[in-house]
Amino acid sequence: MIATADSAEKTIISYNPATGEEVGRVRISSAEDVQKAVTLSRAASREWRQTSFAARRDLMMRAREVILAEVDEIAHLILRESGKPFGEAIAMEIAPVLDLMQYFARNTEKLLKPAKIGIGLYALMGRSSKIIYQPLGVVGIIPAWNYPFSIPLGEAVMALMAGNTVVIKPSELTPLVGVKIRDIFEKAGFPQNAVQVVTGDGSTGAALVEAAPDKIMFTGSVATGKKIAAAAAKNLTSVVLELGGKDPMIVFADANLELAARAAVWGAFCNSGQSCSSVERLYVQESVAAELTRKIVEKTKRLKQGFGDREDVSVGAMSSERQIKIVEDHVEDFRASGAKIEIGGRRNPEFEGLFYEPTVITNANNDMRAMQEETFGPTLPIATFSTEEEAIRLANDSEFGLTASVWTRDRAKGERVARQIEAGSVCINEVLYTHGIGQTPWGGFKNSGLGRTHGREGLMELVQPQHIHINKLALLPDAWWMPYSATAVETFRGFATKFASGSLLKTTTLMPQLLKRIRELLKR
Ligand code: NAD
């Protein structure tokens, strides 16, 4: 929420969505503040890029130590700003990002090792090529609120290890977690301005894009992603967009139904369903639909909902009134279009905060609006299919393509189906958690995004390849240099027909013509 504190300064007040209590407040950075941060970041990047990988690794490992010393405090801050359970803050945010930190601290040098490139017949002419990976400069990070610690921190870690400096604009719903990220790097001893945080709402995010950093790493909605891509294009700033999802889970009759039911419950309801890779559509083969649904409903009944600081709570509060209204609208759409609410389907009457009950819905189908739009809440709509082809068709019938899961005991079938699903990550007998594997690329097909975070592919988004080409002989002019002549044109024809064939044998027959041309050049 945005309020005016004192008389002049615009302030964001961060509230605990479970209790409505104020967590703290931060000022809204002006466009000038943001521009200044980017300028300072650029200056800091000139020195930071010169540091060795070993020096960066040591600092990053120190930042890990800072986090480890404050795990409980950080988890409490996350739960107070987001409403999620304490355990989930540790399991789904702190632990995975600690793993990502050690991985990139130890492996970025190897992942960015200069690569020698085979250049075919040019090598026989005494040339060689290698690719080195230069930092970009300043990376602007604009995250969503749902994983306010792990997503921006993970991106910052990778950007820093690659030699960039970063400016983070946390979500207006979780600004204090953003400030905490800056404090961690500061405590670890990172150089001044290597990591800056500017707090504010969408207008502060827009100011960061306007300030022309060298890359924007954005996580959020499709609508904002498109705005950012358009604004970034004005400065030719490249963007990585991590956007929404409507992720399908396909359960075949031969699956381990007990495991699939547990996975569906966790996949749909963890973080109150506010994960980009939440299970938002479950397709089950008709013959086992009743059994799977019964298991899912039973397990959902046993979930305890409540304040995140209680250790036995599995489902916390939602993040905002806006978000809970979307869930209400979608559940209403399901009801009105003939689906059946098996359990849940309402705000939890025990609480005044933003608690929506975990909701299982049957008789859903893809014609329902709520099966097409991202819900981002604790709903699990179930639809049925009869054949493998139908399951694939239903899963792909979406504008989104972030993740998907396939459940079967037949691994060959699992992989066959996975390869046909239009999604950036597809799990077989697993669900949702692969964002937590920092070693693997993360990103979406279709409207779920552009580019990748995590893994080597994600690291490549944070560097620019530079080709270093050497002519080790450098004694004679190249045959294609000026001045041109009839002999030149004849030689170029030979290049097209012989050299460009890639065949050494054919190219050898070009030698007399080539020597003629070189002699001609040497005379002029
Ligand atoms: P959002 O698009 O409303 O906001 C995201 C961020 O963008 C916030 O920090 C916001 O202040 C900022 N912003 C808003 N307008 C801006 C503008 N014009 N210019 C620059 N910045 C601007 O999204 P949200 O509600 O915070 O997040 C929910 C969405 O995030 C869901 O769709 C979810 O699927 C998606 N998400 C995706 C991933 C992924 O990895 N693909 C991960 C988490 C969340």
Side-chain angles (χ1 to χ4, degrees):
M1 172 194 279
I2 298 168
T4 307
D6 325 307
S7 47
E9 205 171 65
K10 275 195 154 179
T11 308
I12 289 178
I13 305 179
S14 169
Y15 292 100
N16 181 333
T19 60
E21 282 162 5
E22 180 178 330
V23 184
R25 44 185 82 194
V26 294
R27 62 182 285 271
I28 297 183
S29 307
S30 66
E32 293 74 44
D33 296 331
V34 174
Q35 182 61 63
K36 193 170 157 211
V38 170
T39 305
L40 290 172
S41 191
R42 187 151 283 127
S45 79
R46 291 194 192 101
E47 286 190 21
W48 179 249
R49 66 186 296 144
Q50 307 294 344
T51 55
S52 66
F53 283 108
R56 292 178 208 162
R57 180 197 60 214
D58 291 350
L59 278 170
M60 201 56 80
M61 294 307 274
R62 241 184 275 159
R64 282 185 88 253
E65 293 304 319
V66 174
I67 296 172
L68 280 168
E70 298 181 17
V71 166
D72 281 24
E73 187 194 315
I74 296 169
H76 267 116
L77 180 60
I78 296 172
L79 86 84
R80 279 164 62 224
E81 275 205 313
S82 71
K84 70 178 74 180
F86 180 73
E88 216 164 73
I90 299 178
M92 296 189 72
E93 296 226 51
I94 299 176
V97 84
L98 283 169
D99 188 29
L100 179 147
M101 288 172 92
Q102 66 78 21
Y103 175 70
F104 283 100
R106 294 187 173 122
N107 292 288
T108 301
E109 182 170 16
K110 196 164 70 193
L111 292 167
L112 296 183
K113 202 168 143 226
K116 203 165 179 301
I117 306 289
I119 52 173
L121 295 176
Y122 290 101
L124 296 179
M125 295 158 70
R127 290 117 213 263
S128 72
S129 279
K130 66 178 168 189
I131 307 292
I132 63 171
Y133 299 99
Q134 299 277 15
L136 297 171
V138 179
V139 175
I141 300 176
I142 305 178
W145 41 263
N146 62 337
Y147 290 94
F149 189 66
S150 58
I151 291 181
L153 176 53
E155 290 172 357
V157 166
M158 292 177 64
L160 288 160
M161 283 307 303
N164 306 288
T165 51
V166 302
V167 178
I168 305 171
K169 200 301 283 176
S171 165
E172 52 273 44
L173 292 179
T174 52
L176 295 169
V177 175
V179 171
K180 185 75 198 168
I181 292 174
R182 179 186 57 204
D183 293 349
I184 289 165
F185 285 111
E186 224 168 74
K187 277 190 194 166
F190 273 73
Q192 204 183 7
N193 301 324
V195 179
Q196 294 176 80
V197 171
V198 289
T199 43
D201 55 12
S203 64
T204 313
L208 179 52
V209 180
E210 284 284 308
D214 302 290
K215 185 94 186 187
I216 290 286
M217 304 291 292
F218 171 73
T219 309
S221 60
V222 176
T224 310
K226 286 183 178 173
K227 274 192 215 160
I228 287 182
K234 286 192 200 133
N235 296 313
L236 286 186
T237 305
S238 66
V239 293
V240 166
L241 304 176
E242 297 292 353
L243 309 177
K246 189 79 187 170
D247 296 359
M249 172 172 181
I250 299 174
V251 183
F252 285 101
D254 66 347
N256 178 336
L257 293 186
E258 176 60 24
L259 208 63
R262 281 173 187 266
V265 168
W266 183 71
F269 303 141
C270 71
N271 207 23
S272 279
Q274 301 166 114
S275 302
C276 46
S277 49
S278 286
V279 175
E280 292 225 0
R281 298 176 287 150
L282 192 153
Y283 300 102
V284 56
Q285 205 152 19
E286 274 157 3
S287 57
V288 294
E291 188 184 348
L292 184 76
T293 303
R294 182 178 50 72
K295 285 176 183 290
I296 288 174
V297 172
E298 268 169 18
K299 291 174 200 318
T300 303
K301 259 186 210 148
R302 293 204 293 267
L303 297 177
K304 192 176 176 91
Q305 186 163 40
F307 298 115
D309 47 6
R310 290 203 39 183
E311 286 183 350
D312 59 345
V313 158
S314 296
V315 184
M318 295 198 63
S319 61
S320 68
E321 182 60 31
R322 189 189 71 155
Q323 206 53 51
I324 213 167
K325 284 218 164 89
I326 296 172
V327 178
E328 286 179 326
D329 169 49
H330 283 189
V331 170
E332 205 32 59
D333 180 66
F334 277 123
R335 267 201 193 103
S337 44
K340 182 172 173 224
I341 313 298
E342 299 284 345
I343 181 169
R346 57 175 190 174
R347 290 186 192 227
N348 190 323
E350 277 180 52
F351 304 100
E352 280 185 5
L354 303 174
F355 291 86
Y356 198 90
E357 290 181 351
T359 299
V360 179
I361 300 154
T362 50
N363 290 341
N365 68 60
N366 280 15
D367 292 335
M368 298 172 180
R369 177 171 60 85
M371 283 290 269
Q372 294 295 336
E373 295 174 2
E374 184 181 43
T375 306
F376 225 51
T379 54
L380 178 56
I382 302 175
T384 58
F385 67 89
S386 54
T387 64
E388 191 176 312
E389 292 67 33
E390 192 190 1
I392 294 164
R393 184 175 54 73
L394 290 172
N396 287 340
D397 172 26
S398 170
E399 64 167 296
F400 296 109
L402 189 57
T403 80
S405 71
V406 183
W407 293 77
T408 170
R409 284 195 172 91
D410 176 348
R411 255 198 273 162
K413 177 166 74 179
E415 186 157 344
R416 185 171 69 231
V417 172
R419 283 168 182 266
Q420 294 176 77
I421 304 280
E422 296 157 355
S425 304
V426 187
C427 293
I428 300 161
N429 299 329
E430 253 311 337
V431 75
L432 186 140
Y433 85 112
T434 55
H435 188 272
I437 312 176
Q439 292 88 337
T440 57
W442 178 263
F445 288 10
K446 303 196 274 191
N447 269 354
S448 286
L450 198 66
R452 292 293 178 268
T453 56
H454 294 182
R456 184 166 193 277
E457 291 77 1
L459 202 57
M460 286 298 144
E461 302 274 3
L462 297 160
V463 290
Q464 40 196 344
Q466 184 178 46
H467 173 197
I468 307 272
H469 182 74
I470 308 171
N471 180 356
K472 289 177 279 188
L473 298 178
L475 297 168
L476 299 170
D478 286 337
W480 51 83
W481 289 0
M482 293 171 181
Y484 301 146
S485 65
T487 307
V489 172
E490 195 47 35
T491 312
F492 299 163
R493 276 210 184 88
F495 280 151
T497 55
K498 293 171 176 155
F499 183 81
S501 72
S503 153
L504 183 58
L505 206 65
K506 274 195 183 170
T507 303
T508 318
T509 64
L510 186 63
M511 288 317 280
Q513 178 66 30
L514 201 57
L515 290 174
K516 189 172 160 196
R517 168 67 177 149
I518 298 287
R519 271 201 303 275
E520 178 190 62
L521 276 174
L522 288 175
K523 272 192 225 146
R524 295 204 184 182

